[in-house]
C-alpha cells in the first residue's frame, strides 16, 4: 500500500509538473538533488562511467530507491497505518525540499510537490481504510463459510459483502496502480511534447532561414577534410555534436517567452527578447567547441556553424564597469559559467549569443533558444545553454557551478590533437600506413602536426585547408611500418609556436594534456 502510495505521489507530481512547470517534478528534483549533493568524485565517476547515459542511469537509480523506500514503508505499516503515513510524509517532504532548494525556483514550481504529498497521503490512508473494512470479516472470505448459507453473517449483511469489500480493496489498488501509470505517463509525454517547444523551434528555424545575415561563414572547402582517410566530418551534424550538461530535464523555454537580462556592474540594464536579437546584425561563424572533460584521444569536441549576434557590442551598449572582470551567465536551470570580460570584449574574438546551429534553430539539448559561444574557451567557462541572465561582476565577488566543484576559474582551450585512423588495436598491412586525425588550438589555430611510429623520427603531416583559427584542422601522413606492434603518436603545434606537451595530466582542473597514441599490429 505504501508502495502504491509512493507510486501515486510520484506519478501525480510528475503529471502536475508536466502540466505546469517541468522543472518541478519531485522525481526529477530528487535526482537533481542527488547530483547537487554528490561529492565531486562521484559526479566525475558517473560522467566517465556512463557518459551521455548518466542521466537515464541516475533517474533509474532514483526510481529503484523510491521503490525500496515504498516497500520498506509497506513492511513497517503491515499492522498499523501510522508508520506508513509517516514514511510517505517524510518521502514527500524530502522530495518537496529537493524541488524547493533547486536553483532557479519559480512560483509555479511549488504546486507539483504539494500535490504529490497530498495524493501520497490520501492514497495511503484510503487504501488502509479499504483494507480495514475488508479485514473486518475475514472468515466470510473462506469458501467454506460461504457454503453454510444458514450461518448468520457478522453484521448481518448480505453474504457477498466481505467478498465485495475484498474486491473493493483489490480494485482500489489496481485503480491506484493504473492511475499512477496513466498520470506518470502523461507527465512524461507532456514534458516530451515540451509544451509547444517543437512548434516554437520550427518557427524560429523558419525566421532564421528568412533572415539576412551580415556575415556568412565561408563554405567549408573539400580540401579542409580527410574523410576519405577516416577523419570525422569537418562540420559535425547536430545529431552527432557532443552533449555535456548537468540538466536531467532539458529546460523548456519557448522562443516567445525567452528573455535575457544583462545586469550587474553596467551603466544601464538591458532586457532582450528573441525579436530584439533578430533585429540586430546576424552573423554566422564556424566554431569548434571543446569540453574541458575531454581526455586525450576523446571526442568531446565538435564543430558547427553558429548563427547569432555579437556579444561584445551588446555589453558595450549596457556599459561595462572597467572593474567587472567576470561575466557570469546563468541558465534557466540555474547552472552558471564565469567568463573573463576581457576575452569577450577582445576585438576579433567572435564571442556570440547563438540562436542557430547548422541551419536550424538550436536543438533543445544544445540550449534552445539562445546560448553563449566563446571561441577559444572550454564550454564550462563560456558556453551557457538555455541562457537567461548575464551579470557583470568580478571573479572575487562570485563563483560559479564548476568552480565551486574544484575546476579552474579560467580555462582557455589547450592545443591538442587526436588520431582518428587507424583505430587502436587494428591490423595493418606492412608498408605505407595512412594516418589521419584532427587537431585544434582555438583561437590561434593549428600550425603543424607531426606523427611518429614508436621512437622513430617525427614526420610532418599534411594539413587540411584552415577554415578559420577557431576551428579544428584535419591532418594526414603516411608512415612506413614493418611487421610487429607499433605505437603511433601525434603532437600538434599552434600558431604561437607552442607544441603540445607530452606530460599527461587529467582533465581536472583545467583540461587534459599529453600526446595521443594508438597501438597497431602490422602483419
Ligand atoms: N545550462 C548549461 N549550459 C552548459 C552546461 C551545463 O551543464 N548547463 N555545460 C557546459 C559544458 S561543460 C560544455 S562543454 C558545453 C557543451 O555544449 P553542448 O552540449 O552543446 O556540446 O555546454 C556548457 N553549457
Ligand atoms: Mo565541458
Amino acid at each position: 500500500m505504501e508502495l502504491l502510495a509512493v507510486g501515486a505521489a510520484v506519478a501525480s507530481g510528475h503529471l502536475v509538473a508536466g502540466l505546469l512547470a517541468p522543472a518541478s517534478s519531485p522525481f526529477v528534483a530528487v535526482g537533481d538533488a542527488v547530483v547537487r549533493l554528490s561529492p565531486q568524485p562521484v559526479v566525475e565517476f558517473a560522467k566517465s562511467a556512463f557518459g551521455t547515459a548518466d542521466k537515464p542511469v541516475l533517474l533509474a537509480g532514483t526510481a529503484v530507491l523510491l521503490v525500496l523506500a515504498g516497500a520498506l514503508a509497506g513492511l513497517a505499516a503491515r499492522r498499523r497505518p501510522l508508520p506508513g503515513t509517516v514514511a510517505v510524509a517524510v518521502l514527500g517532504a524530502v522530495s518537496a525540499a529537493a524541488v524547493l532548494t533547486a536553483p532557479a525556483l519559480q512560483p509555479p514550481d511549488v504546486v507539483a510537490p504539494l500535490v504529490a504529498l497530498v495524493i501520497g497521503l490520501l492514497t495511503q490512508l484510503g487504501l488502509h481504510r479499504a483494507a480495514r473494512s475488508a479485514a473486518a470479516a475475514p472468515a466470510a472470505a473462506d469458501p467454506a463459510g460461504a457454503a453454510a448459507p444458514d450461518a448468520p453473517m457478522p453484521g448481518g449483511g448480505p453474504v457477498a459483502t466481505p467478498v465485495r469489500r475484498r474486491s473493493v480493496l483489490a480494485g482500489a489498488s489496481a485503480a491506484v496502480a493504473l492511475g499512477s501509470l496513466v498520470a506518470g505517463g502523461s507527465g512524461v509525454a507532456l514534458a516530451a511534447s515540451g509544451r509547444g517547444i517543437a512548434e516554437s523551434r520550427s518557427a524560429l528555424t523558419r525566421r532564421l532561414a528568412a533572415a539576412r545575415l551580415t556575415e556568412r561563414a565561408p563554405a567549408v572547402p573539400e580540401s579542409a577534410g580527410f574523410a576519405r582517410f577516416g577523419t570525422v566530418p569537418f562540420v559535425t551534424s547536430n545529431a552527432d555534436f557532443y552533449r555535456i550538461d548537468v540538466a536531467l530535464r532539458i529546460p523548456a523555454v519557448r522562443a516567445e517567452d525567452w528573455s535575457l537580462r544583462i545586469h550587474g556592474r553596467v551603466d544601464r540594464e538591458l532586457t532582450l527578447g528573441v525579436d530584439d536579437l533578430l533585429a540586430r546584425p546576424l552573423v554566422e561563424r564556424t566554431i569548434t567547441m571543446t569540453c574541458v572533460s575531454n581526455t586525450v584521444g576523446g571526442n568531446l569536441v565538435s564543430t558547427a556553424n553558429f548563427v547569432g549576434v555579437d556579444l561584445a557590442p551588446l555589453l558595450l551598449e549596457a556599459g561595462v564597469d572597467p572593474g567587472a572582470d567576470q561575466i557570469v551567465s546563468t541558465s534557466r536551470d540555474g547552472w552558471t559559467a564565469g567568463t573573463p570580460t576581457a576575452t569577450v570584449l577582445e576585438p576579433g574574438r567572435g564571442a556570440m549569443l547563438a540562436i542557430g546551429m547548422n541551419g536550424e534553430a538550436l536543438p533543445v539539448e544544445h540550449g534552445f533558444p539562445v546560448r553563449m559561444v566563446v571561441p577559444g574557451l572550454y564550454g564550462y567557462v563560456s558556453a551557457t545553454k538555455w541562457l537567461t541572465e548575464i551579470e557583470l561582476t568580478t571573479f572575487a565577488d562570485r563563483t560559479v557551478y564548476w568552480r565551486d566543484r574544484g575546476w579552474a576559474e579560467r580555462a582557455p582551450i589547450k592545443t591538442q590533437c587526436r588520431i582518428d585512423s587507424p583505430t587502436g588495436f587494428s591490423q595493418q598491412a606492412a608498408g605505407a600506413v595512412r594516418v589521419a586525425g584532427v587537431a585544434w588550438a582555438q583561437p590561434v589555430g593549428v600550425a603543424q602536426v607531426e606523427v611518429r611510429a614508436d621512437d622513430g623520427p617525427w614526420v610532418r603531416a599534411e594539413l587540411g585547408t584552415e577554415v578559420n583559427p577557431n576551428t579544428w584542422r584535419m591532418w594526414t601522413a603516411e608512415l612506413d611500418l614493418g611487421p610487429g606492434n607499433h605505437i603511433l603518436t601525434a603532437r600538434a603545434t599552434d600558431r604561437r609556436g607552442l607544441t603540445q606537451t607530452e606530460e599527461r595530466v587529467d582533465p581536472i582542473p583545467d583540461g587534459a594534456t599529453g600526446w595521443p597514441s594508438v597501438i597497431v599490429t602490422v602483419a
Side-chain angles (χ1 to χ4, degrees):
M1 281 175 243
E2 279 64 28
L3 189 53
L4 284 170
V6 169
V10 166
S12 57
H14 208 63
L15 174 62
V16 173
L19 284 170
L20 275 184
S24 69
S25 164
F27 180 55
V28 177
V30 168
D32 268 325
V34 170
V35 176
R36 259 181 294 135
L37 301 179
S38 290
Q40 189 48 31
V42 176
V43 177
E44 288 310 314
F45 167 77
K47 267 208 291 183
S48 57
F50 306 121
T52 309
D54 58 349
K55 292 167 189 71
V57 167
L58 178 70
L59 290 178
T62 307
V64 168
L65 276 181
L66 285 173
V67 167
L68 280 180
L72 278 178
L75 282 181
R78 274 222 314 248
R79 292 178 192 288
R80 304 178 297 128
L82 185 64
T85 312
V86 171
V88 171
V90 167
L91 273 179
V94 166
S95 55
V99 173
L100 300 182
T101 58
L105 182 75
Q106 311 266 314
D109 291 355
V110 300
V111 181
L114 280 181
V115 168
L117 181 61
V118 170
I119 294 279
L121 288 175
L122 286 180
T123 308
Q124 195 260 352
L125 291 172
L127 287 176
H128 271 281
R129 173 178 272 188
R132 260 203 313 283
S133 62
D142 177 357
D150 296 341
M153 298 303 301
V159 174
T161 300
V163 175
R164 205 188 306 139
R165 282 177 178 165
R166 284 237 156 154
S167 53
V168 164
L169 174 59
S173 306
V176 167
L178 193 69
S180 304
L181 279 180
V182 170
S186 324
V188 170
L190 275 171
S193 79
R195 300 177 310 142
I197 299 299
E199 294 73 27
S200 175
R201 199 175 157 257
S202 10
L204 188 54
T205 296
R206 285 193 297 274
R207 289 183 74 182
L208 284 173
R212 230 191 50 244
L213 305 181
T214 54
E215 178 188 323
R216 271 210 161 272
V220 173
E222 195 70 35
S223 56
F226 293 113
R228 63 187 183 283
F229 297 139
T231 58
V232 292
F234 195 92
V235 173
T236 316
S237 69
N238 287 352
D240 290 340
F241 204 96
Y242 83 89
R243 175 187 168 196
I244 288 287
D245 56 63
V246 297
L248 276 181
R249 164 69 63 78
I250 295 174
V253 191
R254 298 191 317 153
E256 305 84 300
D257 303 333
W258 179 85
S259 73
L260 168 69
R261 198 174 139 234
I262 301 179
H263 66 111
R265 293 171 65 158
V266 293
D267 299 334
R268 58 202 83 79
E269 267 192 41
L270 293 182
T271 301
L272 302 140
V274 165
D275 287 346
D276 300 313
L277 294 191
L278 290 175
R280 299 178 69 88
L282 287 175
V283 298
E284 180 189 34
R285 294 188 181 126
T286 311
I287 297 168
T288 298
M289 285 187 37
T290 313
C291 181
V292 70
S293 296
N294 195 40
T295 48
V296 175
N299 54 13
L300 299 181
V301 49
S302 302
T303 302
N305 283 313
F306 291 100
V307 169
V309 305
D310 263 314
L311 180 53
L314 262 180
L315 297 185
L316 296 177
E317 270 173 47
V320 176
D321 176 329
D325 63 355
Q326 181 182 224
I327 296 169
V328 171
S329 48
T330 304
S331 157
R332 171 64 179 79
D333 64 358
W335 186 87
T336 48
T339 313
T341 311
T343 307
V344 170
L345 295 183
E346 203 179 281
R349 171 67 68 151
M352 59 197 286
L353 298 183
I355 318 168
M357 180 172 179
N358 292 334
E360 299 170 14
L362 284 177
V364 284
E365 62 274 27
H366 294 293
F368 178 80
V370 181
R371 77 175 305 170
M372 259 173 68
V373 177
V374 183
L377 300 184
Y378 285 122
Y380 84 104
V381 291
S382 65
T384 303
K385 306 193 266 191
W386 314 294
L387 180 70
T388 59
E389 218 184 282
I390 284 181
E391 185 193 358
L392 272 295
T393 177
T394 63
F395 282 103
D397 284 345
R398 219 183 139 183
T399 65
V400 294
Y401 190 91
W402 284 115
R403 198 177 142 200
D404 288 337
R405 289 160 176 78
W407 294 76
E409 178 179 288
R410 291 159 198 261
I413 293 172
K414 295 178 181 175
T415 298
Q416 187 54 268
C417 63
R418 186 180 73 203
I419 300 173
D420 284 348
S421 179
T423 51
F425 308 107
S426 58
Q427 301 269 342
Q428 304 295 321
V433 170
R434 174 63 63 179
V435 190
V438 302
W440 57 91
Q442 313 93 309
V444 293
V446 173
Q448 175 179 302
V449 175
E450 298 157 291
V451 246
R452 69 175 185 192
D454 310 308
D455 291 326
W458 288 105
V459 174
R460 270 187 85 148
E462 177 193 342
L463 294 180
T465 304
E466 179 170 74
V467 169
N468 72 57
N470 292 325
T471 60
W472 55 18
R473 208 161 171 193
M474 308 306 183
W475 56 266
T476 183
E478 262 184 358
L479 292 178
D480 219 9
L481 300 181
N485 286 338
H486 297 284
I487 302 181
L488 310 184
T489 306
R491 66 177 188 192
T493 301
D494 63 32
R495 288 204 184 279
R496 284 169 297 219
L498 297 176
T499 299
Q500 65 178 103
T501 171
E502 179 178 13
E503 191 201 345
R504 285 245 165 195
V505 304
D506 285 336
I508 192 164
D510 64 357
T513 64
W515 295 338
S517 60
V518 294
I519 296 178
V520 293
T521 304
V522 173

